[in-house]
Amino acid sequence: MTIIQGFAPIAADDARVLVLGSMPSEASLLKQQYYGHPRNAFWPIMGLLFGAGPELTYEQRKKILMAQGIAVWDVLKYCRRPGSMDAAIDMASIEINDFAGFFARHPLIDRVFFNGGTAEKVYWQRVLPELSEKFNYLHYQRLPSTSPAYAAMNLQQKAAVWAVVKKAAAGMVK
């Protein structure tokens, strides 16, 4: 098993919201794009909420999210994982991204949304205990995973829950 590396964040200096995944899938790594699997619901949801749908180029989608104050990143910087499933991540191999540095560079972020359970679990276990108390103003919420592996909700149901990201980016949620 080789070590895989995540991507740099999508984030403008004035980002207000952070969406966190765990680690890019094999399809995402091949495309070098967040949520690159064609059946992942992330970009269709971003299309419904912000007009940043999969019919646009990746660069256009990134620009739209950044203009809306939305940052996208992953909890993990490195890990070993055969395949794409979060359950296959070798937890002994993980390295966490530098969240203290990220939040210091993006002081307007006050809401963090987890794209599924693994991102949330690893963040609580490995990131939060290391974050300084100066970041206690952050609010956290787990959202249903956009992964095609999570089929308990359809696209419309997921988008309805994910609408809180749009409200948070507009400053309508505290």
Side-chain angles (χ1 to χ4, degrees):
M1 227 179 344
T2 60
I3 292 180
I4 55 174
Q5 179 177 349
F7 304 139
I10 297 171
D13 292 342
D14 62 349
R16 297 176 300 282
V17 169
L18 174 60
V19 174
L20 282 177
S22 54
M23 176 60 80
S25 69
E26 286 182 320
S28 296
L29 291 166
L30 283 172
K31 287 178 132 179
Q32 287 295 293
Q33 297 180 8
Y34 279 101
Y35 304 104
H37 191 288
R39 288 191 0 241
N40 191 296
F42 182 80
W43 292 114
I45 290 170
M46 293 302 106
L48 292 170
L49 297 177
F50 302 105
E55 68 280 357
L56 301 178
T57 68
Y58 185 62
E59 290 305 314
Q60 289 171 317
R61 289 179 269 159
K62 289 183 352 183
K63 285 180 183 177
I64 290 169
L65 291 188
M66 289 189 292
Q68 295 293 323
I70 298 166
V72 178
W73 205 17
D74 285 315
V75 176
L76 302 180
K77 182 175 184 175
Y78 297 102
C79 75
R80 285 190 173 96
R81 181 194 65 205
S84 294
M85 301 297 288
D86 282 352
I89 294 171
D90 173 6
M91 288 299 175
S93 73
I94 67 173
E95 183 176 328
I96 303 300
N97 275 313
D98 175 16
F99 284 92
F102 180 83
F103 291 132
R105 289 187 304 278
H106 300 91
L108 299 179
I109 290 177
D110 64 355
R111 297 287 303 219
V112 178
F113 293 97
F114 300 106
N115 187 351
T118 300
E120 180 185 40
K121 178 181 175 184
V122 175
Y123 186 94
W124 288 124
Q125 290 176 346
R126 299 286 298 272
V127 177
L128 201 58
E130 302 297 321
L131 274 182
S132 163
E133 288 184 7
K134 71 181 179 181
F135 299 112
N136 284 349
Y137 61 88
L138 293 167
H139 300 276
Y140 301 99
Q141 183 175 346
R142 180 170 133 186
L143 299 173
S145 174
T146 60
S147 168
Y150 180 67
M153 299 172 81
N154 65 32
L155 176 64
Q156 295 300 328
Q157 291 168 322
K158 288 180 183 182
V161 178
W162 275 76
V164 70
V165 173
K166 186 172 186 171
K167 290 179 183 175
M172 298 169 55
V173 176
K174 285 292 170 187

